[in-house]
């Protein structure tokens, strides 16, 4: 089958479309024919070798985390799914969804929303489950509270803005000036230019969701009493110091920092499907790239200024 591969760590140019065997489906798994996958920030760090302590040194390596597609085969131990069902999900703590097929356990997927295409749906599993977990489960965001989303135009931030509104919060987006109108269209009550606004000069917020991973001490000081900072990233250039601060802040002090690395399961995907089908959440696709242009997609995400997700069209 066709798949996105790379034989060494490096810039986007190391990526290419190659061929690997179709996954061998186990009795408790389903084989999914992938229609589309999205490009996530963690994949950029993986490809560049910045987290090689996790990804290792065996090549070729794969890329792609979330996906949307159709069930191609159902294992003998699997119930409730049939060939042809439209599904979406995440591989878990591994990469490889930028390919024609993936083999997954039923807990890793759910029915995809029926009111969007599979290409559109592919933009949501990672960012959607991350935002829902961060805002509702980790921060306990309540109606009427003030929410700041840092990186509000990106793949996760664009979803967080929408879910924040759906949960009844007053949402402020921190993004580039050229994306201000876009973030307002997503539902933000206010938008601040991240280049013209110093973090230290921000107002105080009940919840801050950080998708960037830097300057956590400054952000923590912008929390209201009993405020909560949820970060989905750490400072990749200073990982030990950054992770140490996050861990310490999680257990000390009144204004705590929550940090997590998501590994969502079926129920969370099903909830995300409901949000989309109710109209509370819409996919935001910046650009659709064919699988052969996987390097172009990585390059575009690294360049910044993205609106939503870069999606890899496989079928």
């Amino acid at each position: 089958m066709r798949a996105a591969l790379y034989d060494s760590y490096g810039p986007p140019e190391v990526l290419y479309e190659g061929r690997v065997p179709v996954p061998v489906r186990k009795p408790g798994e389903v084989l999914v024919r992938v229609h589309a996958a999205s490009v996530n920030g963690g994949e950029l760090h993986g490809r560049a070798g910045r987290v090689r302590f996790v990804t290792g040194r065996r090549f070729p390596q794969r890329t792609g985390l979330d996906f949307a597609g159709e069930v191609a085969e159902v294992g003998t131990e699997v119930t409730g799914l049939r060939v042809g069902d439209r599904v979406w999900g995440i591989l878990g703590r591994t990469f490889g969804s930028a390919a024609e097929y993936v083999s997954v356990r039923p807990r890793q997927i759910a029915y995809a929303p029926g009111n969007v295409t599979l290409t559109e749906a592919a933009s949501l599993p990672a960012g959607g489950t991350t935002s829902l977990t961060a805002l509702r489960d980790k921060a306990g965001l309540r109606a009427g509270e003030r929410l700041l989303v840092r990186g509000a135009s990106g793949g996760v931030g664009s979803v967080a803005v929408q879910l924040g509104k759906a949960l009844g919060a007053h949402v402020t987006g921190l993004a580039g000036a050229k994306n201000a109108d876009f973030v307002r269209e997503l539902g933000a009550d206010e938008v601040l230019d991240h280049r013209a606004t110093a973090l230290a000069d921000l107002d105080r917020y009940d919840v801050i969701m950080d998708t960037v991973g830097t300057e956590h001490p400054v952000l923590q000081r912008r929390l209201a009493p009993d405020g909560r900072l949820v970060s989905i990233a750490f400072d990749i250039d200073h990982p030990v110091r950054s992770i140490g601060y996050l861990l310490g802040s999680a257990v000390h002090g009144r204004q705590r920092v929550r940090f997590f690395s998501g590994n969502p399961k079926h129920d969370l995907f099903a909830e995300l499907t409901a949000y989309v089908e109710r109209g509370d959440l819409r996919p935001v696709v910046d650009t659709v790239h064919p699988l052969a242009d996987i390097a172009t997609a990585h390059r575009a995400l690294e360049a910044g200024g993205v609106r939503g997700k870069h999606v890899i069209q496989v079928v």
Side-chain angles (χ1 to χ4, degrees):
M1 69 173 183
R2 296 180 299 124
L5 305 170
Y6 56 99
D7 296 328
S8 64
Y9 293 123
E13 288 71 25
V14 301
L15 289 162
Y16 64 94
E17 180 188 302
R19 301 196 72 86
V20 296
V22 175
V24 177
R25 176 193 46 76
K26 297 176 181 178
E29 296 180 337
V30 296
L31 187 69
V32 177
R33 185 186 185 210
V34 176
H35 280 235
S38 77
V39 182
N40 297 280
E43 297 161 44
L44 306 186
H45 298 316
R47 184 217 70 234
R50 303 181 80 179
V51 289
R52 64 185 70 195
F53 60 91
V54 175
T55 54
R57 297 182 179 274
R58 296 184 63 182
F59 295 96
Q61 293 205 19
R62 306 272 298 276
T63 191
L65 180 65
D66 52 2
F67 59 89
E70 295 181 73
V71 174
E73 294 180 8
V74 179
T76 55
E77 297 176 1
V78 176
T79 59
L81 288 167
R82 297 181 300 177
V83 171
D85 283 344
R86 290 163 36 104
V87 296
W88 64 355
I90 293 178
L91 290 183
R93 300 189 186 281
T94 186
F95 296 131
S97 67
E100 289 186 285
Y101 292 94
V102 294
S103 188
V104 294
R105 294 187 177 277
R107 67 170 181 260
Q108 296 172 263
I109 58 176
Y111 294 124
N115 58 336
V116 298
T117 69
L118 288 172
T119 300
E120 292 171 325
S123 69
L124 282 172
T129 55
T130 296
S131 296
L132 193 55
T133 300
L135 296 179
R136 186 192 62 187
D137 302 336
K138 298 296 182 179
L141 181 66
R142 298 183 292 270
E145 289 193 312
R146 301 189 68 201
L147 166 67
L148 173 72
V149 179
R150 185 187 185 198
S153 65
V156 177
S158 61
V159 179
V161 168
Q162 296 181 71
L163 289 177
K165 290 303 297 181
L167 293 170
H170 180 281
V171 180
T172 299
L174 192 60
K178 68 178 183 179
N179 290 326
D181 289 341
F182 164 70
V183 175
R184 289 189 186 93
E185 291 171 3
L186 294 174
D189 299 286
E190 299 177 69
V191 183
L192 303 176
D193 179 0
H194 72 86
R195 290 186 177 88
T197 307
L199 296 183
D201 295 334
L202 288 170
D203 203 347
R204 294 189 180 273
Y205 297 90
D206 301 294
V207 174
I208 297 176
M209 181 169 172
D210 173 46
T211 70
V212 179
T214 61
E215 301 185 78
H216 289 129
V218 180
L219 288 173
Q220 191 176 19
R221 289 193 289 270
R222 306 324 301 160
L223 291 173
D226 296 319
R228 293 86 72 199
L229 167 61
V230 185
S231 180
I232 64 166
F234 60 88
D235 188 344
I236 196 70
D237 293 322
H238 306 93
V240 175
R241 183 177 67 190
S242 180
I243 293 175
Y245 180 83
L246 290 168
L247 293 175
S249 299
V251 295
H252 296 292
R254 186 178 179 188
Q255 298 159 314
R256 295 185 176 182
V257 178
R258 279 81 165 173
F259 175 78
F260 71 98
S261 175
N263 188 17
K265 299 296 188 291
H266 167 83
D267 289 351
L268 196 57
F269 293 122
E271 288 184 76
L272 196 66
T273 296
Y275 272 95
V276 177
E277 293 186 335
R278 285 198 305 265
D280 291 329
L281 176 61
R282 65 177 176 89
V284 181
V285 177
D286 185 298
T287 308
V288 178
H289 308 263
L291 181 61
D293 289 348
I294 182 68
T296 301
H298 273 234
R299 193 180 305 114
L301 183 57
E302 283 188 342
V306 63
R307 294 185 175 187
K309 279 294 189 76
H310 286 276
V311 172
I312 305 302
Q313 186 82 51
V314 181
V315 172

